[in-house]
Amino acid sequence: MEKIDVHTGRAVPLRASNVDTDQIIPAVYLKRVSRTGFEDGLFAEWRQDEDFVLNRPEYSGASVLVAGPDFGTGSSREHAVWALKDYGFRAVLSSRFADIFRGNSLKGGLLTVLLPQEVIERLWETVEADPTTEVTVDLVNREVRAPGVRESFELDDYTRWRLMEGLDDIALTLRHTEEIGAFEQNRRSWLPVTL
Amino acid sequence: MARTMAEKVWEEHVVRRADGEPDLLYIDLHLVHEVTSPQAFEGLRLAGRSVRRPDLTIATEDHNVPTQNLLAPIADPVSRKQVETLRKNCSDFGVRLHPMGDIEQGVVHVVGPQLGLTQPGMTIVCGDSHTSTHGAFGALAFGIGTSQVEHVLATQTLPLAPFKTMAVTVNGQLKPGVSAKDIILAVIAKIGTGGGQGYVIEYRGEAIESLSMEARMTVCNMSIEAGARAGMIAPDQTTFDYIRGRAHAPKGEDFDAAVEHWKSLRTDEGAVFDAEVVLDADELSPFVTWGTNPGQGVPLDASVPDPASFEDPSARAAAEKALAYMDLAPGTPMREVRVDTVFLGSCTNGRIEDLRAAAEIMRGRKVAEGVRMLVVPGSMRVKEQANEEGLGRVFEEAGAEWREAGCSMCLGMNPDQLKPGERSASTSNRNFEGRQGRGGRTHLVSPQVAAATAVRGTLSSPADLVSL
């Protein structure tokens, strides 16, 4: 996985709450068996509307999504993370994320940053006033910076370390194969097996 | 120290605990389907890894499968390739698969419990958010993403940050015609779609204890719609009776030993939850959604709310947007909302009891003119049982389409979809924009309300039907 430290890019203000994963990528795009190329599915329905914020030329090439509360609710589809990344987003800022989406994003190298709603609103205003505004998401110092905004955010040390090192979770767990084996020796004998 | 049920199950599964790291949890059962697994299996292949415990893994085909003409190849080539990919992956990695046409095939969350694979105190995961369904047995069960699917396939474990705990207590007894679906829709309307975020919910109280296993599954199923990672209900005699005798249930002395253990899982007296919510079942009535998220619901007796009545500006904006999408005017009585389609099925309400409840109402009646009703059993086993009980004939005689098992119109990955502008009463779990088909409009309801709505053509409860 790609290492993450500091990202600076232009931002898109997505003024909507409860953006569910069916909106981020509709189910019809989930039939593929590949892991890349999901950018065409990102907000596929909303992008039919030419006024949708992602269609506006001033936001083209932006890499930071500033979203309303409860972003990523609904289905567990990791395709939502892949679609955002494939489209070019490196970070999503919101005052509240759905659990599974947040977990998927931090596994998949898309930085999801929790900020107070009041800061999100200020970022919306700043970016709308000047779409060329650059927003910096600094994982090293756990801080978001933009003109008039300097806000630290919380992220546990372990996740931060894993993202900064670009480490694969599975490889980390496989270091503990012996402990897994030992645990298996002590499982209850009547637990069900499928084979 | 007094502990909650969720904490007990968690503690029993900790493989490794180290300062500054998430706990590494052992996973007892991994359910797999065609949509969220192909990239995970491919990841294993690329890294030269195998499935650590194929004997704790089981797969079925559900999201993409057509619900009619099962003998014909899947018409959509992309869906067909995804299903074929699952078959190849299961064959290559030695995973048991119940494919289309198999008696045990069906929606993954119906299949696990019906086989007796879902048992109290287990950790259960699946690349599907409605894995919370299995919590009805007192299992810690939650949905995961594809990266985690690959992780579980490779290691049978997951590194996890701890959850907070929430108690949702439902006191009293449900009135006739009010169901488990109404309980959970009311809970979500009360705490909101983000209200459970970060929590494992334990449902308790007299009304919950009185529910059958299948009704409990309906409640736990939609925990995710309140933002919670999982929902749980303490195992009791109802649970033990449901499991006994199923294909993968413990047998003989093992069953007694298991019950002994399962009884110890209950939340200890005096255990403290991080949050508590209380509802009174006597005050609940059939519930329906009016908007585009499951928290936007009201009693069927109420009217479409006026966005201006919401104090929170973000809720007001969301309501305005939802009503525009749903093409509903504030103040319209919910009972006057006319539907084109009724969908009875899904992992929320596609089990035998759901079909019985709906058939009871439809027996001798007809689906209203201009309304299409799809009845999609949760599994082929459910279909078989429904046919044995004569339920299939009831649906067909009423003019409903009696289909084969699958996720179907819950998310419209197969041909069962709403057309743009069409409106459904649906027993599924999500009323998101376009969820049931592009431009489709969804009202979430219980099986009883779905059946009555099919007969009258407008959102209705069984009490609205003229007696036969």
Side-chain angles (χ1 to χ4, degrees):
Chain A
M1 203 167 70
E2 212 178 307
K3 294 182 182 181
I4 301 178
D5 45 26
V6 181
H7 175 77
T8 300
R10 285 181 292 113
V12 179
L14 182 62
R15 284 185 180 265
S17 60
N18 260 302
V19 175
D20 58 74
T21 52
D22 278 74
Q23 304 318 314
I24 299 173
I25 184 164
V28 64
Y29 293 92
L30 273 47
K31 299 181 184 184
R32 301 172 183 170
V33 296
S34 61
R35 198 160 192 155
T36 53
F38 288 94
E39 63 276 8
D40 56 339
L42 182 69
F43 297 117
E45 278 312 308
W46 291 353
R47 272 160 72 191
Q48 305 281 325
D49 172 4
E50 59 182 36
D51 291 333
F52 179 57
V53 68
L54 244 56
N55 289 335
R56 305 236 294 271
E58 62 268 35
Y59 296 118
S60 102
S63 56
V64 177
L65 186 66
V66 187
D70 293 314
F71 188 83
T73 54
S75 137
S76 64
R77 59 190 71 164
E78 197 162 321
H79 311 67
V81 171
W82 301 337
L84 285 160
K85 278 190 73 182
D86 291 349
Y87 189 85
F89 286 109
R90 291 293 163 265
V92 183
L93 318 182
S94 170
S95 63
R96 194 159 60 188
F97 292 98
D99 276 340
I100 304 182
F101 174 80
R102 184 106 202 272
N104 287 345
S105 70
L106 297 174
K107 300 271 177 224
L110 175 73
L111 200 51
T112 39
V113 175
L114 270 172
L115 293 173
Q117 183 60 23
E118 165 265 314
V119 176
I120 297 288
E121 310 253 352
R122 251 193 296 150
L123 284 168
W124 280 342
E125 283 160 21
T126 306
V127 171
E128 282 166 351
D130 178 7
T132 67
T133 303
E134 295 211 313
V135 175
T136 296
V137 183
D138 179 345
L139 178 62
V140 183
N141 295 299
R142 283 178 270 217
E143 191 175 76
V144 170
R145 293 185 294 274
V149 173
R150 189 186 192 97
E151 187 77 21
S152 56
F153 62 83
E154 284 185 24
L155 188 70
D156 67 274
D157 292 343
Y158 182 83
T159 305
R160 173 175 167 272
W161 166 75
R162 197 172 45 71
L163 289 169
M164 287 180 61
E165 297 294 324
L167 290 172
D168 163 12
D169 250 356
I170 298 179
L172 286 174
T173 297
L174 286 174
R175 295 178 187 172
H176 308 303
T177 305
E178 272 184 35
E179 283 157 278
I180 298 171
F183 182 93
E184 284 173 330
Q185 295 303 313
N186 293 315
R187 293 179 75 235
R188 291 169 208 279
S189 60
W190 43 260
L191 280 163
V193 291
T194 57
L195 294 177
Chain B
M1 203 180 96
R3 293 180 303 164
T4 63
M5 175 168 48
E7 288 161 349
K8 290 184 193 183
V9 178
W10 180 285
E11 284 301 321
E12 266 199 16
H13 290 83
V14 175
V15 170
R16 174 188 155 82
R17 178 168 283 163
D19 274 348
E21 290 181 28
D23 282 354
L24 189 64
L25 244 59
Y26 199 80
I27 302 302
D28 291 321
L29 179 66
H30 186 190
L31 305 161
V32 174
H33 63 85
E34 76 275 16
V35 179
T36 55
S37 66
Q39 297 87 354
F41 282 112
E42 192 56 21
L44 292 185
R45 253 187 216 105
L46 291 172
R49 291 169 179 150
S50 56
V51 175
R52 180 179 178 88
R53 294 296 300 266
D55 61 331
L56 303 183
T57 312
I58 187 167
T60 185
E61 300 166 357
D62 56 4
H63 283 63
N64 273 276
V65 301
T67 55
Q68 50 193 359
N69 304 326
L70 289 193
L71 295 177
I74 299 178
D76 175 350
V78 195
S79 287
R80 187 168 68 233
K81 182 168 183 204
Q82 197 166 56
V83 169
E84 284 167 357
T85 302
L86 179 70
R87 291 177 187 175
K88 177 169 183 351
N89 285 333
C90 287
S91 156
D92 288 359
F93 289 92
V95 172
R96 169 173 161 192
L97 168 70
H98 293 292
M100 279 165 62
D102 187 284
I103 186 68
E104 303 297 352
Q105 178 269 337
V107 184
V108 68
H109 307 309
V110 177
V111 170
Q114 125 193 323
L115 285 168
L117 285 167
T118 300
Q119 296 174 19
M122 291 172 67
T123 46
I124 301 177
V125 298
C126 174
D128 188 283
S129 58
H130 291 111
T131 309
S132 57
T133 310
H134 308 265
F137 292 80
L140 182 60
F142 48 91
I144 56 178
T146 299
S147 295
Q148 290 171 302
V149 169
E150 185 179 339
H151 195 285
V152 176
L153 289 172
T155 71
Q156 204 58 35
T157 65
L158 274 180
L160 291 168
F163 301 108
K164 292 177 286 180
T165 56
M166 178 189 287
V168 171
T169 306
V170 189
N171 293 318
Q173 287 293 344
L174 290 175
K175 287 182 291 207
V178 187
S179 74
K181 184 66 164 282
D182 304 310
I183 294 181
I184 191 62
L185 286 174
V187 168
I188 299 163
K190 187 178 169 97
I191 70 174
T193 55
Q197 205 250 320
Y199 292 98
V200 171
I201 297 178
E202 182 179 329
Y203 302 94
R204 50 209 331 239
E206 189 191 348
I208 299 293
E209 288 162 20
S210 306
L211 295 176
S212 69
M213 262 341 280
E214 298 196 349
R216 293 177 188 185
M217 285 190 246
T218 300
V219 172
C220 288
N221 171 274
M222 287 187 73
S223 301
I224 183 72
E225 266 62 63
R229 199 64 188 277
M232 296 177 90
I233 294 174
D236 59 10
Q237 198 57 45
T238 304
T239 321
F240 311 148
D241 292 344
Y242 185 92
I243 296 171
R244 190 196 305 271
R246 291 187 183 264
H248 291 273
K251 308 275 185 295
E253 285 176 14
D254 277 347
F255 188 81
D256 299 334
V259 167
E260 209 48 44
H261 174 60
W262 296 342
K263 283 179 174 168
S264 75
L265 297 169
R266 298 183 76 85
T267 291
D268 295 328
E269 200 72 39
V272 179
F273 290 89
D274 298 306
E276 296 210 47
V277 173
V278 180
L279 260 80
D280 193 344
D282 303 280
E283 288 172 11
L284 294 178
S285 59
F287 224 80
V288 294
T289 60
W290 51 267
T292 54
N293 75 56
Q296 293 174 322
V298 289
L300 180 60
D301 297 331
S303 299
V304 176
D306 187 344
S309 67
F310 292 91
E311 275 178 32
D312 172 36
S314 129
R316 194 182 313 140
E320 278 167 6
K321 189 165 172 286
L323 290 188
Y325 181 85
M326 294 295 288
D327 191 28
L328 288 174
T332 309
M334 293 309 300
R335 273 197 171 75
E336 288 178 12
V337 175
R338 184 162 290 281
V339 304
D340 309 286
T341 299
V342 173
F343 172 62
L344 173 60
S346 85
C347 59
T348 312
N349 282 127
R351 286 170 286 267
I352 191 69
E353 287 182 11
D354 301 310
L355 302 187
R356 281 182 197 139
E360 186 61 36
I361 292 157
M362 305 203 63
R363 197 182 300 276
R365 295 189 166 101
K366 294 280 182 203
V367 174
E369 184 119 352
V371 174
R372 164 174 75 141
M373 183 181 194
L374 252 62
V375 183
V376 181
S379 70
M380 292 309 284
R381 187 67 79 183
V382 169
K383 175 153 190 168
E384 182 188 63
Q385 192 176 350
N387 279 336
E388 281 168 9
E389 296 179 18
L391 308 182
R393 199 172 335 117
V394 172
F395 294 126
E396 283 176 338
E397 284 175 1
E401 296 176 37
W402 176 226
R403 298 289 192 91
E404 314 291 342
C407 298
S408 180
M409 197 184 269
C410 176
L411 83 170
M413 278 190 82
N414 76 347
D416 306 340
Q417 298 180 16
L418 294 180
K419 294 192 189 73
E422 277 188 342
R423 185 183 299 279
S424 77
S426 176
T427 65
S428 55
N429 39 58
R430 289 185 178 139
N431 49 345
F432 296 156
E433 289 181 23
R435 167 95 175 170
Q436 295 192 291
R438 239 192 107 200
R441 299 170 177 137
T442 304
H443 296 274
L444 300 178
V445 299
S446 70
Q448 290 86 340
V449 169
T453 300
V455 171
R456 279 172 44 101
T458 52
L459 293 175
S460 304
S461 78
D464 299 327
L465 297 174
V466 183
S467 56
L468 287 173

